[in-house]
Amino acid sequence: MAAPVPSDMPVKRTPLFDLHMSLGALMVPFAGYEMPVQYTAGVLKEHLHTREKAGLFDVSHMGQAYLIADDLDHATVAAGLEALVPADILNLKHGQQRYTQFTSEDGGILDDLMVSRPENSDGDGVLNLVVNAGCKDADYAHMADGLPPEITLHQRAHHALLALQGPMAAAVLSEHAPDAAKMAFMTSRLLKITGITCGVSRSGYTGEDGYEISVHQDDVVALATKLLADPRVAAIGLGARDSLRLEAGLCLYGHDIDTTTSPIEADLAWSIQKRRRDGSGFPGHARIKTELANGPKRRRVGILPEGRAPAREGTEILDASGAKIGAITSGGFGPSVNGPIAMGYVTTAHATVGTRVQLMVRGKPLPAAVVKMPFTPHRYSR
C-alpha cells in the first residue's frame, strides 16, 4: 500500500521517526514520508490488538490547516468552503466535525477531508481541516485558488497528528483528560492531555471508537511515549491501518475514490446533507443531483470471495456469464473476519446484496458475492 515517491523527491519524516525506529518499525515510503508499515508484532497482531484494546497511530503526514474569515463570521467562512465541497458547513454546530469531499466540475472527487468548527463562539469565523497526505499540496492550492479574498488559509505545518483507536481508547485517554469520555462521535474540542494542550476529535479510520489528537510537533514525542506506557496501548503501523479501514468499509483516496468517482457512486450520499442536495453552488452539483435522483451507473460494494485467495486492487469482477462488470479497488485479508474481503465498483444492475459474481485471480475465475458493508460492525461512540 506504500505510495511511490519520485526518485528526485526527498522523503520527509514525521517528528516521531526516532520513536518508530526505537520500537523496531519497518519503515516504507508513503505519500512522500517515511512511515511505519508495521512493528515487531506484525500486521496481524497489531490489527487484532486495535480491535481488542487500543492502538496508537502516527498520522502526522496528514495535512492540517485552518480557514479564517476576515470578519470572524461563521457564515462567511462556511460559504467560502461550501463553494468547494457538497457538505452543509453553514449548519455545522460548535464543536462538530463533518466528513466531506472536494469535488471537481464533473462531479469527481479531488480528495476527502474532515472539517470541524471550534467548540465555542470565540473561534467563530474559523474552520479546522484535515486532508490526505498525498493530496495536501494540491488541496491547499485548490483552496487558495477557489476561496474568496476575505478568507485566509493557514497551514499547521508544525503540528503532528496521533490517532488512538480501539474499544479501550476512551478509558485510556480519559485517565489523562477526563472530559474525553464525555465527547460524542464526530465532535472536537481542546483538551489538556498530560498537561499538553491538544485539539481532539472523537473520530478515526478503523471503525472503532477512538480519537484523533492534533499536537505541536515539539510535544508529540512526550505525548506518544506517555500513551504507549499504558499496557492497553500498542504502536500500530500502516499495514494494520489499511486492513482495519477495509474491514470497516471505509474509502482510501486514490483507490476507492478518485477523480473518476462521484460521491454517489462511492456510496457517500450520506455525507451530503439535504440543504445541499436541493441546491447547487459546489463543483459537480449537476451530476451529483442527477445521480441522487436517478441513481448512478455503478456503485461501490463489498465483495466476499469464497475460499482463502485474496482479490487485490485491479482484479476484474465478472458476472455469471463471464462479462466484465467492474473491478476491485481494495482487497486483502481481514484478520477479524479471518478471510479475504474486498470492495470495488460494479454496474448498478449487479450491486444488490447477494448477487453472485466471479473474480479473475491469477487468470482463474473464483466465486464471490456482493455483500453488505462494513465487514466488521462499526463501534463508534454515539
Side-chain angles (χ1 to χ4, degrees):
M1 64 173 290
V5 178
S7 58
D8 60 346
M9 182 182 294
V11 179
K12 301 175 184 178
R13 293 175 174 177
T14 77
L16 290 172
F17 178 83
D18 290 340
L19 179 60
H20 295 316
M21 296 303 293
S22 72
L23 295 171
L26 172 62
M27 307 297 287
V28 299
F30 182 81
Y33 287 79
E34 282 189 83
M35 297 295 292
V37 69
Q38 66 179 63
Y39 299 87
T40 54
V43 173
L44 178 64
K45 290 184 178 179
E46 291 174 21
H47 177 114
L48 295 175
H49 182 95
T50 305
R51 288 275 185 251
E52 296 164 3
K53 296 180 182 179
L56 187 68
F57 302 77
D58 178 13
V59 286
S60 303
H61 59 315
M62 301 288 280
Q64 299 184 72
Y66 67 95
L67 304 178
I68 184 167
D70 289 346
D71 61 6
L72 299 182
D73 181 64
H74 174 67
T76 300
V77 71
L81 186 57
E82 283 188 357
L84 302 177
V85 304
D88 182 353
I89 307 299
L90 178 63
N91 290 312
L92 202 61
K93 298 176 182 177
H94 288 292
Q96 187 179 14
Q97 184 180 57
R98 184 157 283 168
Y99 167 82
T100 189
Q101 309 86 31
F102 289 123
T103 48
S104 64
E105 290 298 335
D106 63 0
I109 300 173
L110 302 173
D111 195 14
D112 58 346
L113 67 153
M114 288 288 195
V115 183
S116 60
R117 184 181 181 186
E119 61 185 304
N120 55 54
S121 57
D122 293 341
D124 269 351
V126 174
L127 291 172
N128 296 309
L129 313 176
V130 179
V131 301
N132 282 303
C135 302
K136 61 184 175 183
D137 291 338
D139 289 345
Y140 295 153
H142 180 63
M143 284 186 281
D145 289 341
L147 290 170
E150 62 269 21
I151 299 174
T152 306
L153 168 70
H154 295 272
Q155 299 179 33
R156 286 196 167 103
H158 299 297
H159 275 67
L161 192 65
L162 299 173
L164 183 66
Q165 299 282 295
M168 296 185 181
V172 169
L173 196 60
S174 61
E175 288 189 4
H176 305 287
D179 286 346
K182 303 174 186 176
M183 294 177 64
F185 179 59
M186 292 296 279
T187 62
S188 65
R189 63 184 304 180
L190 290 177
L191 294 176
K192 277 194 176 293
I193 307 172
T194 66
I196 301 168
T197 299
C198 304
V200 180
S201 67
R202 196 160 193 172
S203 59
Y205 194 48
T206 62
E208 297 290 336
D209 184 22
Y211 304 86
E212 293 196 343
I213 305 167
S214 176
V215 57
H216 194 278
Q217 63 183 14
D218 293 345
D219 296 318
V220 68
V221 173
L223 179 58
T225 301
K226 185 70 173 180
L227 292 172
L228 288 169
D230 191 308
R232 296 168 290 185
V233 180
I236 311 296
L238 290 177
R241 179 173 162 85
D242 193 49
S243 58
L244 288 158
R245 70 92 193 168
L246 177 55
E247 285 187 344
L250 302 176
C251 295
L252 175 62
Y253 190 80
H255 300 260
D256 311 296
I257 51 175
D258 58 26
T259 55
T260 70
T261 56
S262 76
I264 312 309
E265 290 178 325
D267 196 28
L268 300 175
W270 56 266
S271 68
I272 306 176
Q273 290 71 37
K274 186 178 186 301
R275 171 178 156 264
R276 303 308 307 283
R277 294 186 184 199
D278 294 342
S280 58
F282 61 89
H285 62 85
R287 173 185 175 184
I288 290 170
K289 189 172 182 179
T290 297
E291 289 183 349
L292 281 167
N294 303 324
K297 294 180 180 179
R298 61 174 183 162
R299 293 184 182 275
R300 181 174 65 93
V301 297
I303 301 286
L304 192 65
E306 292 185 6
R308 305 295 290 178
R312 304 295 183 183
E313 180 180 358
T315 298
E316 290 187 351
I317 306 173
L318 313 178
D319 66 11
S321 68
K324 183 179 177 181
I325 56 170
I328 298 297
T329 53
S330 287
F333 181 78
S336 306
V337 178
N338 193 29
I341 54 175
M343 68 172 79
Y345 286 82
V346 297
T347 56
T348 297
H350 297 89
T352 304
V353 170
T355 301
R356 304 295 301 174
V357 297
Q358 303 178 82
L359 306 175
M360 286 299 293
V361 178
R362 299 189 186 94
K364 294 177 60 177
L366 301 180
V370 174
V371 296
K372 185 179 179 180
M373 291 191 289
F375 299 96
T376 298
H378 292 164
R379 296 195 287 184
Y380 304 130
S381 175
R382 299 291 185 179

